[in-house]
């Protein structure tokens, strides 16, 4: 058996100079972006809670004043894909199914 195949080079010699720094910078950028995403999600949750609370307060205040509160507008979520108005055909969405 060949004696040189049993030994291996150290891990440092396999990486070119500067790659460790470059990788660290990229991981730092990814971490900062992840923090921005998490902050955005938390901000959105807080905004939704405040909108719901405001809606409940408006309804409660209207009932207290003896006024029937306006019904909440119910909207349907938009479907993926688009309607081809020229021929009346439905274009399939990204999942490939029929809409």
């Amino acid at each position: 058996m060949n004696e040189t195949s049993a030994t291996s080079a150290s891990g440092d010699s396999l990486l070119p100079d500067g790659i460790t720094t470059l990788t660290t910078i990229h991981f730092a950028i990814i971490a900062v972006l992840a923090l921005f995403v998490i902050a955005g999600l938390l901000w959105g949750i807080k905004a939704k809670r405040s909108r719901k609370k405001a809606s409940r307060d408006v309804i409660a205040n209207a009932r207290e004043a003896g006024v029937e509160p306006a019904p909440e507008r119910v909207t349907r979520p938009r479907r993926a894909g688009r309607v081809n108005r020229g021929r009346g055909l439905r274009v399939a969405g990204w999942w490939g199914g029929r809409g």
Side-chain angles (χ1 to χ4, degrees):
M1 179 170 207
N2 189 356
E3 294 294 327
T4 59
S5 66
T7 61
S8 62
S10 68
D12 292 335
S13 67
L14 298 176
L15 296 174
D17 294 335
I19 291 296
T20 305
T21 304
L22 188 63
T23 303
T24 304
I25 291 170
H26 281 102
F27 282 151
I29 291 171
I30 290 170
V32 168
L33 291 176
L35 289 174
F36 278 133
V37 169
I38 292 170
L41 289 171
L42 293 174
W43 178 75
I45 290 169
K46 182 180 175 186
K48 184 176 180 179
R49 283 184 185 163
S50 66
R51 281 193 310 269
K52 284 190 169 230
K53 183 182 180 306
S55 176
R56 285 192 301 266
D57 289 346
V58 166
I59 291 171
N61 290 340
R63 287 190 178 142
E64 185 178 313
V67 178
E68 185 63 31
E72 290 188 29
R73 197 176 105 201
V74 178
T75 58
R76 251 180 33 208
R78 295 185 67 178
R79 298 175 75 167
R82 63 183 180 83
V83 175
N84 184 346
R85 300 211 187 270
R87 296 185 186 155
L89 299 175
R90 178 108 181 136
V91 177
W94 62 267
W95 63 91
R98 292 209 180 279

